[in-house]
Amino acid sequence: MSDAADISEDAVLGGRLRLRQPTSGHRAGHDAILLAAATAARPGDRVVDLGAGVGTAGLALARRVDGVALTLVEREPGLASLARDNARANELQADVAVLDVAADAAAFAAAGLGSDSVDVVLMNPPFHDAARHRASPDATRAAAHMSTATTLEIWTQAARRMLKSGGVLTLIWRADGLGEVLAALTRGFGSLAVQPVHGHPARPAIRILVRAVKGGRAPTQMLAGVMLNEAAGGPSDEVVRVLEGQGALALAGPLNG
């Protein structure tokens, strides 16, 4: 980024990860940490974080799972530069590709992300409905948050192309868009598992975490929901552990394939 005064350094995962990020625009939040905690990966897996921003989700996953081969894909050069700096500062190995998720297969291959070459993809696509939400005047923030009619199709297509057969995609989306997610995953994916995220036990889910297997054939599973807050109003023990980097969500566990 051009001005050091516009950059903050913030601790996440209970201080286990420190991130330099813009003071305004799209910043690290709970969604990225929940996504990382919901992503299943093993040492040696080739992992791609699509639309990585400053690297929050991918680096959080790499902090939890030693030995993954991580690539952070981000189209904004300034954010990609911060992602590279963040990987280095946290002593985590990560390649950074300055690349638009909507780029064609040749552009991905040129960045070393050819077809059928990746074990795990995680992604937090822009998911706010432009018809119901006013876009931010900050262009970078708006692009990071506002979806279009083709956002999910474009992002899931990029993931499907990169993933090996049996590779796993994990994503986060707004809960009222579950139908959109299921429709986008009908081609090439199966063995879906959905974990809703609730702000409060008495209220509808606000997010969904979804895991899909390329070529999977098992029935769709609906997992118990994640409660960000207890009925009394304080954060749940599960979420405190996740946000402090001390555990993963059920979606990251073994599922029928």
Side-chain angles (χ1 to χ4, degrees):
M1 311 298 284
S2 59
D3 189 343
D6 295 333
I7 303 298
S8 65
E9 182 172 318
D10 305 287
V12 299
L13 297 182
R16 291 174 172 81
L17 192 67
R18 299 195 67 86
L19 299 174
R20 296 182 70 241
Q21 59 181 332
T23 56
S24 63
H26 184 53
R27 289 174 54 80
H30 285 8
D31 284 358
I33 301 303
L34 291 172
L35 173 62
T39 300
R42 299 168 296 182
D45 278 350
R46 192 170 189 207
V47 177
V48 174
D49 180 1
L50 278 182
V54 301
T56 309
L59 294 176
L61 176 62
R63 179 60 81 212
R64 176 168 61 85
V65 183
D66 291 334
V68 296
L70 176 65
T71 299
L72 305 171
V73 174
E74 172 53 47
R75 72 176 183 178
E76 296 290 339
L79 295 179
S81 179
L82 286 171
R84 189 176 292 109
D85 291 345
N86 286 333
R88 186 181 305 115
N90 286 280
E91 299 182 341
L92 293 168
Q93 295 294 318
D95 294 327
V96 179
V98 182
L99 186 64
D100 194 323
V101 175
D104 61 18
F108 271 81
L113 299 170
S115 299
D116 306 311
S117 65
V118 169
D119 300 293
V120 176
V121 173
L122 64 159
M123 64 188 198
N124 179 10
F127 57 59
H128 288 306
D129 186 345
R132 291 184 292 168
H133 295 266
R134 180 177 296 178
S136 169
D138 182 292
T140 301
R141 184 179 178 87
H145 287 276
M146 305 305 292
S147 66
T148 70
T150 59
T151 295
L152 267 175
E153 178 184 352
I154 290 169
W155 285 60
T156 56
Q157 179 182 18
R160 182 174 62 245
R161 186 175 60 228
M162 283 188 292
L163 283 167
K164 301 173 183 176
S165 179
V168 177
L169 166 65
T170 305
L171 65 89
I172 189 167
W173 195 258
R174 64 180 199 278
D176 64 3
L178 174 60
E180 301 167 46
V181 174
L182 297 179
L185 294 173
T186 54
R187 182 182 172 194
F189 288 102
S191 304
L192 273 60
V194 181
Q195 189 166 25
V197 179
H198 298 256
H200 187 278
R203 297 172 187 160
I206 56 174
R207 300 283 187 269
I208 47 170
L209 292 155
V210 182
R211 171 175 165 172
V213 178
K214 183 175 177 179
R217 295 178 177 273
T220 296
Q221 301 180 45
M222 182 67 73
L223 278 63
V226 178
M227 300 298 163
L228 298 181
N229 296 287
E230 303 284 8
S236 68
D237 291 343
E238 178 184 30
V239 167
V240 169
R241 287 194 299 271
V242 165
L243 295 181
E244 292 184 352
Q246 297 177 355
L249 295 174
L251 200 65
L255 296 173
N256 296 331

